[in-house]
Amino acid sequence: MPSPEQAKIRFMTIFFGANDARLPNTLGYTQTVPLEAYKQQLIKIATHPAIKTHNPHMILITPPPIDERLCEAADAAKGINQVRRTAENAARYAEAVREVGEQLDVPVLDLWKAFMQRAGWSEGQPLPGSKDVERNAVLTELMHDGLHFNPAGYRVLLDELMRLIERTWPNQMPEKLPFLLPPWDDADAWSE
């Protein structure tokens, strides 16, 4: 992390959890981070002195939901025949981010909820992406392998991020920021 004298960090997103939420496995290695340890690590990152010295506009981003069928197919193509992700576990890690955001008074971009709303989900219903329900075409459109985003998923991330910035720090919207360099078509300014 650069010092504030080297670079000023205006915005910082913390976007971890999709791999941390993997289930423990018997493959000899694991990416799993237990839920409470995950929450503590998010707090350590968000409150680290090297970050706090910049006083950035900080945003926590929940991990997205997953599509169990697509994840299992992608794993099977790699020769992995063990369930490593569940929609329910992904939901728990997203909730953990919401809790940390509330605890630290840091805005949360709820990507999990944004994807789920687009998938037609309502509180109390079975989770789209679970093998217990029919395949959800929206999640398939958003994620190519049940976890990693397609262009449509990245569009959701960008749109939600810009909405959060506009609500929370409206003076930081791109159209309200001054240019550091002249516009590309200002020939007089560039000739100086």
Side-chain angles (χ1 to χ4, degrees):
M1 183 69 66
S3 72
E5 294 77 36
Q6 295 171 310
K8 174 68 175 132
I9 298 173
R10 183 181 301 178
F11 280 91
M12 180 172 182
T13 61
I14 301 175
F15 187 16
F16 292 109
N19 287 321
D20 302 309
R22 276 188 23 183
L23 301 174
N25 63 49
T26 58
L27 302 173
Y29 61 90
T30 186
Q31 290 180 299
T32 306
V33 176
L35 193 58
E36 284 306 312
Y38 170 71
K39 288 170 66 172
Q40 292 307 309
Q41 292 300 323
L42 285 178
I43 292 168
K44 284 181 182 179
I45 293 168
T47 61
H48 193 281
I51 292 170
K52 295 300 275 185
T53 190
H54 287 271
N55 194 29
H57 297 302
M58 187 174 298
I59 300 168
L60 298 176
I61 304 176
T62 67
I66 61 113
D67 182 306
E68 293 175 9
R69 288 179 187 89
L70 289 175
C71 285
E72 288 184 15
D75 284 346
K78 299 175 199 168
I80 300 168
N81 296 313
Q82 180 179 32
V83 174
R84 300 192 305 166
R85 301 178 189 282
T86 66
E88 185 179 321
N89 206 44
R92 282 194 285 270
Y93 280 72
E95 178 59 28
V97 175
R98 291 183 208 104
E99 291 170 6
V100 169
E102 187 174 322
Q103 178 183 340
L104 298 179
D105 195 27
V106 171
V108 173
L109 189 168
D110 198 338
L111 191 59
W112 186 91
K113 189 176 285 182
F115 275 37
M116 295 300 269
Q117 286 174 336
R118 282 166 177 78
W121 178 77
S122 297
E123 190 74 38
Q125 292 180 334
L127 297 175
S130 168
K131 289 192 304 185
D132 297 335
V133 297
E134 288 185 33
R135 173 170 259 151
N136 187 286
V138 173
L139 288 183
T140 301
E141 178 187 328
L142 297 174
M143 297 178 283
H144 70 89
D145 61 0
L147 174 67
H148 298 99
F149 302 162
N150 280 329
Y154 283 109
R155 172 51 65 182
V156 172
L157 173 60
L158 174 64
D159 291 347
E160 292 296 321
L161 180 61
M162 296 311 293
R163 275 196 272 284
L164 187 146
I165 291 170
E166 186 171 32
R167 276 192 320 269
T168 310
W169 304 286
N171 64 334
Q172 297 296 304
M173 290 300 290
E175 62 274 6
K176 294 186 179 178
L177 297 175
F179 282 97
L180 297 177
L181 297 172
W184 69 270
D185 59 352
D186 186 345
D188 292 336
W190 283 104
S191 66
E192 292 177 12

